[in-house]
Amino acid sequence: MKTQYFVQYSNDSIINRFVIPKETFTSISIGIRNVGTDFIFPLVQNMFSFPIFFVLENDIFEQGKSIISERNIPSYKFSSNGFIIKIESVDTLEAICDISVDLALNGISVFIFFGQGLYEEDLVPLTQWNKPIEFKNLDFQKVETFIDVSEVGTTIFSRNNKFNSPRKVSYFISASYFLDIENSDI
C-alpha cells in the first residue's frame, strides 16, 4: 500500500523558523507520516545534481559516525556532534539519507543545500532555543534550494522555478507515494 503525503505552501511558523531572505524563496511543505529513506533519497536524487550538502546538526548515533568513517565520506565537523557532508555520488547520497532519516525521526535537525559556490564552512547553523535558526556565514545568493528534513516531512525553500509550487514539487516525489489532493494546494 502506498503512503499518503500532502504538498502545501508553508505557513508562517515554518518560514519564520529560519533567518533567510524569504522574499527570494518559495516555501513548500511536504507532509508525510514517518518519513523514510525511500522518500528522501529519490526526492533529493530527482531534484538535484551533485554536489549536494547535508548538514547533520547533531549526530547522536554511533552507527552514523561509523558509516561516515568506514566509507571514508569526507565531512566537515562543526561542533562536538555536527557534520556537514558534501555529497558527490549516489552511494554516498543513499548512505547519508539513511543517517538523516534516523536523525529526523528522533527530532534532530537535518538540512540539505544545493547551489553554486557553496562551501562546508559556510553552512554551519547557529541554533538557539528561542530564536530562529541562522546560517551567519552563508551567502544565500549562492543557494538555489534549501530543504529542512523533519520527522513529519520536509520543507523546501527554493528560488528554482521547477520547485516553486506544490504541483511542481509533486513530480519529484517517488511514484510509490500517493498524493492526498484534498489536503494539498493543487
Side-chain angles (χ1 to χ4, degrees), residues 2-14:
K2 293 183 178 186
T3 303
Q4 199 169 21
Y5 71 93
F6 67 85
V7 184
Q8 299 176 337
Y9 288 104
S10 300
N11 65 35
D12 286 343
S13 65
I14 292 172

Side-chain angles (χ1 to χ4, degrees), residues 15-147:
I15 295 169
N16 292 332
R17 185 169 174 239
F18 300 96
V19 176
I20 60 174
K22 291 156 185 66
E23 64 280 353
T24 59
F25 290 94
T26 301
S27 178
I28 308 290
S29 292
I30 303 171
I32 186 168
R33 198 169 276 157
N34 296 326
V35 69
T37 303
D38 63 335
F39 179 79
I40 295 295
F41 174 67
L43 177 70
V44 173
Q45 187 178 28
N46 291 336
M47 288 177 72
F48 308 126
S49 59
F50 296 114
I52 305 163
F53 294 86
F54 275 64
V55 179
L56 310 178
E57 199 172 33
N58 187 346
D59 188 0
I60 60 172
F61 302 107
E62 280 304 314
Q63 179 185 3
K65 290 178 188 176
S66 295
I67 290 170
I68 291 169
S69 176
E70 289 168 9
R71 294 185 179 212
N72 289 326
I73 297 172
S75 60
Y76 175 85
K77 193 167 185 167
F78 66 88
S79 69
S80 62
N81 295 319
F83 290 94
I84 299 172
I85 301 166
K86 183 178 181 180
I87 310 284
E88 299 189 88
S89 73
V90 172
D91 291 341
T92 303
L93 176 61
E94 188 167 24
I96 299 304
C97 282
D98 283 341
I99 294 168
S100 297
V101 166
D102 286 344
L103 294 173
L105 290 175
N106 282 282
I108 305 297
S109 295
V110 175
F111 310 114
I112 303 168
F113 286 91
F114 178 75
Q116 299 298 317
L118 298 176
Y119 297 99
E120 290 92 334
E121 56 272 6
D122 295 337
L123 302 174
V124 175
L126 177 60
T127 306
Q128 297 178 27
W129 161 245
N130 60 349
K131 295 185 179 180
I133 297 168
E134 186 173 8
F135 299 90
K136 280 191 174 257
N137 299 325
L138 182 58
D139 176 1
F140 272 95
Q141 293 302 314
K142 296 179 179 180
V143 176
E144 176 194 285
T145 303
F146 159 59
I147 300 176

